[in-house]
């Protein structure tokens, strides 16, 4: 893996459907969801940071740098992407890969596949996707490869009220990397208590 591709875990959401609090700190198979996400991401990247708001001390046990949204009032995952881009820029890096903190089964080859797509399509910005027999291509925009060079444009878009990731990425010709969704969608994320039960089943059957 190229030494200059770090990973940023997006954990800035408010977890309303889970009853509030940090979804990533809930226990799955006897371990915090965040620990599983870190273990999945770390072999694929050169370094890992966590985007989260509030008191960073609650994540101290994970040993990651914590970067907060640079915009107030929780404007959504694009603000987390910007936080990651600012963090990477401070280290002189050229790009980041983002993953969601509530998605413990994302592909083990995520970063490689995003990079392959970026090279093949000459697109510096790439989002992950799966194919659904009914909905067609379904993008998973919190999983992507993002160039640091676009952080100024992203900051301006957020200041102007932009909130939907794909509206902004489409402006910049984002490519799509397609991943298999069999036997389950690897981008399945944990929003509700029922999702936690489903995740326990996936963990038992396929992990």
């Amino acid at each position: 893996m190229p030494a200059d591709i770090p990973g940023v875990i997006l954990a800035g959401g408010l977890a309303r459907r889970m009853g509030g609090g940090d979804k990533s700190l809930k226990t799955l198979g006897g371990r915090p969801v965040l620990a599983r996400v870190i273990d999945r991401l770390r072999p694929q990247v050169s370094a890992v940071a966590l985007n989260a708001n509030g008191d960073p001390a609650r994540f101290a046990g994970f040993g990651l740098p914590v970067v907060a949204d640079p915009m107030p009032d929780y404007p959504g995952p694009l603000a987390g992407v910007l936080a990651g881009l600012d963090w990477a820029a401070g280290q002189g890096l050229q790009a980041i890969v983002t993953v969601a903190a509530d998605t413990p089964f994302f592909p083990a080859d995520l970063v490689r596949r995003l990079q392959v797509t970026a090279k093949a399509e000459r697109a510096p910005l790439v989002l992950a996707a799966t194919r659904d027999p009914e909905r067609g291509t379904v993008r998973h925009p919190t999983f992507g490869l993002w160039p640091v060079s676009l952080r100024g444009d992203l900051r301006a878009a957020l200041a102007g009220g932009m909130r939907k990731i794909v509206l902004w990425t489409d402006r910049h010709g984002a490519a799509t990397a397609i991943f298999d969704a069999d036997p389950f969608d690897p981008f399945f994320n944990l929003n509700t208590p029922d999702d936690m039960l489903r995740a326990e089943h996936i963990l038992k059957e396929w992990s």
Side-chain angles (χ1 to χ4, degrees):
M1 180 57 54
D4 60 350
I5 300 292
V8 177
I9 300 170
L10 303 178
L14 299 178
R16 291 188 181 96
R17 283 181 286 176
M18 195 71 84
D22 294 292
K23 290 187 288 184
S24 64
L25 298 181
K26 294 188 178 296
T27 300
L28 174 63
R31 302 180 64 214
V33 172
L34 180 57
R36 295 186 177 278
V37 171
I38 293 169
D39 286 352
R40 199 104 172 143
L41 180 61
R42 199 185 295 278
Q44 304 189 48
V45 295
S46 60
V48 179
L50 178 67
N51 160 242
N53 300 300
D55 185 359
R58 67 194 192 278
F59 298 108
F62 297 96
L64 301 180
V66 179
V67 293
D69 290 354
M71 301 286 186
D73 302 323
Y74 306 106
L78 273 177
V81 173
L82 180 58
L85 292 174
D86 286 345
W87 168 74
Q91 301 179 66
L93 302 174
Q94 300 302 308
I96 64 170
V97 166
T98 58
V99 303
D102 62 355
T103 308
F105 307 117
F106 64 86
D109 61 350
L110 172 74
V111 177
R112 181 184 65 80
R113 297 270 301 278
L114 291 174
Q115 290 181 295
V116 167
T117 300
K119 183 176 181 180
E121 301 197 21
R122 298 182 180 180
L125 202 166
V126 184
L127 299 182
T130 50
R131 284 210 172 94
D132 183 277
E134 296 181 355
R135 296 183 294 165
T137 299
V138 179
R139 289 185 287 186
H140 303 281
T142 52
F143 291 81
L145 173 67
W146 311 82
V148 169
S149 61
L150 287 178
R151 70 191 181 108
D153 185 281
L154 178 54
R155 196 183 315 277
L158 280 163
M162 175 67 70
R163 296 295 179 263
K164 289 188 176 293
I165 297 178
V166 295
L167 291 182
W168 184 77
T169 57
D170 284 350
R171 287 184 184 177
H172 297 282
T176 302
I178 304 294
F179 293 83
D180 189 13
D182 182 52
F184 60 88
D185 185 345
F187 300 103
F188 161 67
N189 64 316
L190 309 176
N191 285 318
T192 68
D194 283 347
D195 290 338
M196 292 296 295
L197 293 175
R198 180 183 171 197
E200 291 283 0
H201 176 73
I202 290 172
L203 193 65
K204 183 181 296 184
E205 292 295 321
W206 290 293
S207 298

